[in-house]
Amino acid sequence: TGSSRAQRLVTVQKGPLYRTEGSHVTLWCKVSGYQGPAEQTFRWSIYLPSAPEREVQIVSTADPSFPYAIYTQRVHSRGIYVERVQGDAVLLHITELQDRDAGEYECHTPNTDERYFGSYSAKTKLVVIADTLLASMVPQVLTRAEGEAVELTCEVSKSTTQHTHLSVGWYRLQGAGESPTEEVLTLSKDFILRPGPSYTQRFLVGDVRLNKVGNTTYKLFIGGVKASDQGQLYCEAAEWIADPDETWKDISRKQTGRTSLAVTSQGRDLSVDIAAAASSLSEGDTLQLNCLVGAQKETSRHFQVRWFLNGVEVARVDPHGVLILEEEHEERAKLGQLRAFKQSNTVYVLTIYEVGLKDSGMYHCSVSEVKAPGDVHSIQSNQSSGIQVDVKPIGRRTHLSVSTRTPQVTAGDALTFLCQVRGATSPVSVQWWHLPPQHMGPRLLVAAMEQDGTLSLGSSYRDGGTWGGLRLEKSSAGTFTLVIPSTLGESHGGRYVCEVTERSRGQSWTEEGETAVTVSSMGLGLHATLRSRIVTVRYGQSFELVCQVSANYTIEEVPVSVGWFFQPSPPTGLYHKLVQVLPDGTMNWETAQSRFQGKAQLTKAATSFRLHIHNAVAADKGAYQCEVKVWRKNAPPQGQPAATTTSNAVGIRVLLPESKLQVATEESSVEIAGGADATIECRIMFAQNTSRFAITWYFVPLPASDETPLQIVRADYRSGLEYGAKFSSSALKSRFLSQRVSSNVSWLRILSTNPQDQGRYYCVVEEWRWLVDDWYKLGEGTSGRTTLEFKLPEHQLQLEKTNRSVLVKEGEEVTLHCLLQGAHLSATRLSATWFQEKEGSHVRSLLTLHRDGAIEYPQESLAGRLHLRRPSAGDFSLTLRSVEEGDAGLYHCQVQEWQLQSEVNSWALQALASSGYTQLTTIPPESTVLSRICSSPSLLNFILYLPLVLILLLTLGVFCWCFRLRK
């Protein structure tokens, strides 16, 4: 970043976006290329389809009164809010999308720049569609022996009109959910089957399959179940849509009910086992016991099962599945409080509803095998081990304490909360709630764990990228831990509430506690100051820049990168990056600035970053800046940083070596005969031997020595020639030559001089020297002036000297006279030049008749309208055709007489003379005279007051006549 910046650009998530009603929606917006504070203000508005031209304000990051009435309640209750991801990027959250939320959303950032330059808002379209996704599965309790197959069916359907994809997956929860959910097999939105890690090998050999039957039926087949397959199985379906940015977004998710799968092992002898869904109950809960029979080829064998409580028989199930109850339990069976049945030949179930304290004790089951139903003699028998069931009286309340290990952190740190439950007599459900700082609405659900261990995240906290992989764990009996591994900013602070609910016999008890944390933004207080002990250095000297970083937290504990930037002097646009020093110390040099790499040294000490540049050269002159970026502690330094700051600019001036140049300044004059060659000298009196010189020649015409000097020619230090605008014609280039005679003497040669060459000449010398990387100008000097004059013989020409004034209409032609009076010398030739002088401008030549009869037009645009009349040898009158308004001015001619010098075979100027002056005034045609008068206020006023002037003069004349008569 520098003093000249790119234009502001606001970008928003590309639309149209299709989202389902009732879902949690986020829209991102960010701004770049801005000036002003690092934390920019964002305003969100909507243009409803019913009134597409009318802006309806929704929410602002800076103004609580910004929302219109239709959105005020939802904004205050946090149903709609803006989350600041960083200073120049935000997320708009709509926690529960409504049908009326459809429309075109606009993100606007108010101007903080020195001037308006760029875009300040961007729009995207949001379309609300119905949530049509359905997923269902009939809940079952299944028992399979190892090696048997199991098949589960999930019905999934949707009726969305947009093009969407479905993903269907099967998942397993082991036991009561104390272990994480395990993926079995998923058909992805890209129609790819993806097995979970534990099922990959079985999937490859075909023992685990997912079959789609028809349009809506998905079947999971597990052939040869294992003990590791035991647990709760459920199906989850998700509907996906492709956003305009070509990313896929899940717009709806649905889970089915769960099927419980028990897997029994096979053995040679009869084996019996007992299992309970829960062994610690409260009064009013339901007790379910499974008696599991293990035997080979059990389908062709016959078993009788008995249930015992503390050694006393409770119920019996014969080989036909007929229930036989002891007398004291028959009444409970009639009331529906007790049930025993044969689920399969290997699984027998005893269920007691609304248990009481008397149902506490040791349960076991015994199995007897008979040859055929009705036999009284058993072949073999076995009984299970006992299982202790405890029924606790209701009426006790849970007690809990809530605490945090991280009460005050910086963005990027983890948050850890503990909720310790005491006194619960049955499994509890836990919910964590969050109230962000200055939050006016209801609290937001963070995460929940049901009594069976099922985990879920609140709709506002499902974005793993924003909340850094938030998780809720049961770390020990009665202790629930909420962990947010990486915080983003102040919005992650506030109050966190743990709510615990215990349910028993249709009743529930709820306790809650809270704790508070403060999260400081990494941008809070982040500041970089750049300084240098010296800002003016001599050529070849070293200088050092120190970038001092400060913040409201310990800089040494977070990843920091520092970029160094440079803007040459004079500025060429944006700052150029020299080098980026990454948090791990890696230095990335910019190729375009590689000259710094060989002579720059980068160091770091605590919070100071230093750039030391050795052997300063002229190219190092300019402005320097440092840019500091910080990342969150627990996040790798990649992607967008948590905060960025740019230092002030420090200008460094590099003084070049002092010039010792001396140029001869004596005034001189040169008098030559017309037509001869002239030489003007430029002499360097002193300079360094290693220097080169650029010579520029200037000319000031006579007699107007105060006029602006005209550049003749410049010979640069590489000997390249550049002629001035007035000397750029081929004819003048061939007569004015710059010659370097020696290392310290240069000449200006003027060939075949003519009277227009009279004037003052001087040179300007520039000293240039090679300094490491380029040629640099060290200084310059100006010579004295040399006056060039003509020496003419005594013979003079006689030209008509009469001054004239000519008035001519535009479009007509006019002849300007130039007549030679008397005879001229024999064996001589004449040349003539016509000049025009406009008011406030230089005299310019219009036409030159050379002694050989050739005519030259310096003003080529006039060539077609100028005609030189030669009715006689001494008549040089000029005819100007199709007169234009711009032709007005003062005209005169100059005639020269030349004679051939036989001894040197060259022409010499013998005499010259100038004519009188002719003032040419143009007037417009008759059709435009009136308009000219009307458009000229001074002329119009004169005409209006002319009659009054005439009357006053007449009155004065009569008065004088009367006065004389009286005398």
Side-chain angles (χ1 to χ4, degrees):
T1 348
S3 57
S4 176
R5 297 177 180 264
Q7 64 180 5
R8 175 183 286 253
L9 177 65
V10 176
T11 52
V12 72
Q13 191 166 346
K14 189 176 181 181
L17 301 172
Y18 293 87
R19 297 294 185 265
T20 54
E21 189 174 1
S23 62
H24 184 122
V25 174
T26 60
L27 300 176
W28 61 258
C29 178
K30 58 185 178 182
V31 60
S32 60
Y34 59 88
Q35 295 177 317
E39 185 165 289
Q40 293 284 296
T41 297
F42 291 81
R43 298 173 179 171
W44 284 93
S45 301
I46 187 173
Y47 295 82
L48 299 172
S50 57
E53 301 299 322
R54 177 173 174 262
E55 179 188 10
V56 180
Q57 297 176 178
I58 301 176
V59 64
S60 166
T61 58
D63 185 6
S65 63
F66 182 77
Y68 280 9
I70 188 175
Y71 287 104
T72 301
Q73 180 58 36
R74 294 174 69 187
V75 171
H76 287 174
S77 65
R78 296 282 289 184
I80 297 177
Y81 65 96
V82 177
E83 176 191 1
R84 187 178 292 279
V85 179
Q86 57 186 50
D88 54 8
V90 297
L91 284 174
L92 173 66
H93 287 261
I94 303 175
T95 59
E96 189 172 355
L97 191 64
Q98 301 177 11
D99 183 66
R100 60 174 178 164
D101 293 330
E104 189 172 42
Y105 285 74
E106 181 182 51
C107 175
H108 173 73
T109 62
N111 181 37
T112 59
D113 309 333
E114 295 177 355
R115 59 191 180 97
Y116 282 91
F117 185 43
S119 68
Y120 291 80
S121 65
K123 293 181 178 180
T124 190
K125 185 178 181 182
L126 177 64
V127 181
V128 181
I129 60 178
D131 185 0
T132 63
L133 180 64
L134 297 174
S136 62
M137 181 181 71
V138 178
Q140 304 177 68
V141 177
L142 301 178
T143 301
R144 293 290 186 271
E146 284 185 296
E148 290 185 340
V150 66
E151 185 179 78
L152 301 177
T153 300
C154 180
E155 294 290 333
V156 179
S157 64
K158 66 179 180 70
S159 56
T160 310
T161 57
Q162 284 70 31
H163 176 71
T164 59
H165 288 187
L166 288 177
S167 65
V168 179
W170 293 88
Y171 300 85
R172 186 181 69 88
L173 284 169
Q174 184 177 352
E178 295 192 6
S179 61
T181 301
E182 183 179 26
E183 182 182 16
V184 179
L185 185 58
T186 298
L187 177 63
S188 73
K189 66 179 183 302
D190 303 314
F191 313 109
I192 297 173
L193 284 172
R194 184 182 64 241
S198 300
Y199 290 85
T200 301
Q201 188 59 39
R202 297 165 67 185
F203 168 78
L204 294 175
V205 299
D207 279 347
V208 177
R209 302 192 298 271
L210 195 155
N211 300 320
K212 184 179 180 183
V213 182
N215 293 327
T216 62
T217 302
Y218 298 79
K219 291 189 175 185
L220 173 68
F221 176 85
I222 303 177
V225 296
K226 299 181 179 180
S228 59
D229 296 328
Q230 187 163 283
Q232 298 182 69
L233 297 170
Y234 66 94
C235 167
E236 182 181 89
E239 185 175 10
W240 300 77
I241 194 167
D243 281 347
D245 62 359
E246 298 183 357
T247 62
W248 285 88
K249 170 65 179 173
D250 54 328
I251 58 175
S252 181
R253 282 185 177 272
K254 297 292 172 63
Q255 284 186 9
T256 67
R258 297 186 174 95
T259 288
S260 177
L261 174 63
V263 179
T264 61
S265 61
Q266 293 182 350
R268 292 182 177 274
D269 299 326
L270 181 65
S271 64
V272 182
D273 198 7
I274 189 170
S279 59
S280 181
L281 306 173
S282 297
E283 289 179 283
D285 289 345
T286 298
L287 172 63
Q288 179 177 307
L289 298 171
N290 290 352
C291 187
L292 308 175
V293 180
Q296 294 182 348
K297 300 180 180 180
E298 80 284 350
T299 56
S300 61
R301 299 163 71 174
H302 309 285
F303 304 107
Q304 177 176 270
V305 177
R306 295 181 179 184
W307 294 94
F308 296 87
L309 170 59
N310 296 326
V312 178
E313 184 175 330
V314 177
R316 184 190 313 167
V317 178
D318 70 12
H320 291 291
V322 176
L323 174 61
I324 303 171
L325 294 171
E326 293 298 317
E327 185 175 346
E328 60 179 296
H329 298 293
E330 287 182 351
E331 186 61 25
R332 295 185 71 180
K334 291 177 181 178
L335 295 174
Q337 297 178 356
L338 186 148
R339 183 186 176 204
F341 63 96
K342 177 183 177 181
Q343 182 174 297
S344 69
N345 210 32
T346 58
V347 180
Y348 297 80
V349 181
L350 170 66
T351 305
I352 302 176
Y353 301 96
E354 296 183 5
V355 297
L357 299 178
K358 61 182 180 181
D359 296 316
S360 296
M362 184 68 68
Y363 287 82
H364 71 270
C365 65
S366 69
V367 178
S368 301
E369 181 181 6
V370 296
K371 286 186 177 181
D375 285 0
V376 294
H377 301 289
S378 61
I379 301 173
Q380 61 173 329
S381 62
N382 200 353
Q383 75 173 23
S384 70
S385 59
I387 184 169
Q388 178 66 38
V389 175
D390 295 317
V391 180
K392 299 177 182 179
I394 62 174
R396 297 182 62 184
R397 300 290 297 273
T398 56
H399 301 279
L400 71 152
S401 63
V402 181
S403 61
T404 178
R405 298 172 183 167
T406 52
Q408 190 164 4
V409 299
T410 303
D413 292 340
L415 293 178
T416 303
F417 303 96
L418 298 178
C419 185
Q420 294 177 304
V421 183
R422 297 186 301 275
T425 59
S426 59
V428 298
S429 62
V430 177
Q431 291 181 318
W432 280 95
W433 303 84
H434 179 212
L435 287 92
Q438 302 176 350
H439 180 62
M440 304 300 295
R443 59 190 185 181
L444 307 174
L445 178 63
V446 179
M449 178 181 288
E450 300 300 331
Q451 290 172 304
D452 61 359
T454 303
L455 297 175
S456 61
L457 298 180
S459 58
S460 301
Y461 301 86
R462 293 173 184 164
D463 187 350
T466 303
W467 283 88
L470 179 149
R471 65 182 185 270
L472 174 58
E473 301 171 341
K474 186 177 181 181
S475 52
S476 63
T479 301
F480 298 86
T481 305
L482 175 66
V483 179
I484 301 174
S486 181
T487 52
L488 288 184
E490 297 176 2
S491 62
H492 283 191
R495 291 185 293 153
Y496 285 80
V497 178
C498 176
E499 182 183 281
V500 175
T501 301
E502 182 181 10
R503 295 179 179 85
S504 180
R505 298 191 65 183
Q507 301 184 41
S508 63
W509 296 265
T510 300
E511 291 286 339
E512 65 178 42
E514 69 175 50
T515 186
V517 295
T518 301
V519 180
S520 300
S521 169
M522 298 197 76
L524 189 63
L526 181 63
H527 185 70
T529 303
L530 187 63
R531 55 185 173 82
S532 177
R533 186 172 59 85
I534 54 174
V535 295
T536 300
V537 299
R538 296 188 177 278
Y539 179 84
Q541 189 179 357
S542 299
F543 63 94
E544 185 175 73
L545 297 162
V546 180
C547 182
Q548 185 68 46
V549 184
S550 60
N552 291 353
Y553 47 90
T554 306
I555 287 292
E556 295 93 321
E557 295 180 358
V558 299
V560 179
S561 73
V562 176
W564 290 94
F565 292 81
F566 170 66
Q567 186 182 61
S569 178
T572 57
L574 297 176
Y575 276 69
H576 308 297
K577 180 185 284 189
L578 302 180
V579 62
Q580 183 83 21
V581 184
L582 302 181
D584 61 0
T586 302
M587 300 179 190
N588 293 333
W589 287 91
E590 293 295 317
T591 305
Q593 305 297 328
S594 58
R595 67 181 183 83
F596 282 94
Q597 186 173 359
K599 65 175 188 173
Q601 181 180 0
L602 296 161
T603 59
K604 175 189 176 184
T607 58
S608 296
F609 300 84
R610 298 172 184 265
L611 172 64
H612 190 97
I613 296 181
H614 300 273
N615 193 25
V617 297
D620 298 337
K621 175 183 177 183
Y624 293 80
Q625 274 188 332
C626 65
E627 180 186 68
V628 178
K629 297 179 180 180
V630 295
W631 279 266
R632 300 193 300 277
K633 290 182 184 178
N634 299 322
Q638 58 190 12
Q640 289 293 330
T644 302
T645 186
T646 302
S647 74
N648 55 295
V650 170
I652 297 295
R653 182 183 174 208
V654 179
L655 299 180
L656 297 177
E658 185 178 354
S659 174
K660 304 294 184 180
L661 176 68
Q662 295 180 15
V663 180
T665 57
E666 295 84 2
E667 302 282 329
S668 62
S669 62
V670 176
E671 190 177 62
I672 62 172
D677 296 343
T679 300
I680 312 294
E681 182 180 85
C682 179
R683 180 176 295 273
I684 298 171
M685 306 302 295
F686 181 80
Q688 296 287 344
N689 293 334
T690 57
S691 298
R692 291 186 182 182
F693 305 98
I695 311 292
T696 305
W697 289 98
Y698 292 91
F699 168 60
V700 181
L702 287 177
S705 59
D706 59 341
E707 289 188 12
T708 302
L710 303 176
Q711 178 182 325
I712 303 173
V713 61
R714 181 177 189 272
D716 63 26
Y717 64 87
R718 295 186 178 91
S719 300
L721 296 180
E722 179 186 354
Y723 280 85
K726 298 291 185 180
F727 291 82
S728 59
S729 67
S730 300
L732 291 177
K733 284 183 179 180
S734 63
R735 288 203 308 113
F736 288 83
L737 307 176
S738 177
Q739 294 182 353
R740 190 158 290 170
V741 181
S742 65
S743 61
N744 64 332
V745 176
S746 293
W747 285 351
L748 175 67
R749 298 285 310 282
I750 308 173
L751 307 181
S752 303
T753 57
N754 61 48
Q756 286 75 40
D757 298 335
Q758 296 183 98
R760 296 178 182 273
Y761 294 81
Y762 67 94
C763 68
V764 174
V765 181
E766 301 171 4
E767 182 181 10
W768 291 77
R769 191 182 302 172
W770 176 263
L771 300 176
V772 179
D773 62 335
D774 205 351
W775 287 92
Y776 291 92
K777 178 182 173 182
L778 302 186
E780 66 177 38
T782 302
S783 71
R785 302 197 175 196
T786 298
T787 302
L788 177 65
E789 296 179 317
F790 278 13
K791 180 180 179 181
L792 301 175
E794 295 298 328
H795 173 67
Q796 293 186 359
L797 291 175
Q798 299 295 323
L799 275 182
E800 183 182 2
K801 296 290 186 177
T802 305
N803 293 330
R804 294 182 174 86
S805 180
V806 178
L807 190 68
V808 61
K809 291 182 181 179
E810 294 174 14
E812 296 183 353
E813 71 175 35
V814 63
T815 298
L816 308 176
H817 297 285
C818 179
L819 300 174
L820 182 66
Q821 298 176 341
H824 60 88
L825 297 174
S826 60
T828 62
R829 292 185 182 180
L830 299 175
S831 66
T833 302
W834 272 96
F835 300 92
Q836 179 198 32
E837 181 180 357
K838 291 186 177 182
E839 185 178 354
S841 63
H842 297 298
V843 176
R844 64 172 182 168
S845 61
L846 302 177
L847 175 149
T848 297
L849 172 67
H850 293 286
R851 58 179 176 266
D852 60 359
I855 297 178
E856 178 186 351
Y857 297 92
Q859 311 296 327
E860 294 182 0
S861 60
L862 299 176
R865 297 197 295 119
L866 297 178
H867 177 62
L868 191 66
R869 299 181 57 193
R870 295 296 307 277
S872 64
D875 190 344
F876 299 94
S877 299
L878 176 69
T879 299
L880 179 59
R881 297 168 178 164
S882 301
V883 172
E884 299 175 357
E885 184 180 356
D887 295 333
L890 198 63
Y891 291 77
H892 77 278
C893 74
Q894 185 182 79
V895 178
Q896 301 95 29
E897 184 179 37
W898 302 82
Q899 187 169 26
L900 181 65
Q901 305 293 317
S902 58
E903 62 274 9
V904 292
N905 194 30
S906 64
W907 290 88
L909 183 67
Q910 297 299 308
L912 63 85
S914 295
S915 71
Y917 289 88
T918 299
Q919 177 66 54
L920 176 65
T921 304
T922 64
I923 58 175
E926 290 82 359
S927 60
T928 60
V929 171
L930 185 57
S931 62
R932 289 281 180 91
I933 293 174
C934 294
S935 63
S936 174
S938 58
L939 187 59
L940 182 62
N941 289 337
F942 174 76
I943 293 174
L944 291 174
Y945 286 104
L946 183 60
L948 180 59
V949 173
L950 293 176
I951 292 172
L952 289 174
L953 290 175
L954 181 61
T955 303
L956 182 61
V958 172
F959 175 79
C960 294
W961 181 74
C962 293
F963 181 76
R964 288 181 179 179
L965 287 178
R966 286 184 178 182
K967 281 190 170 185

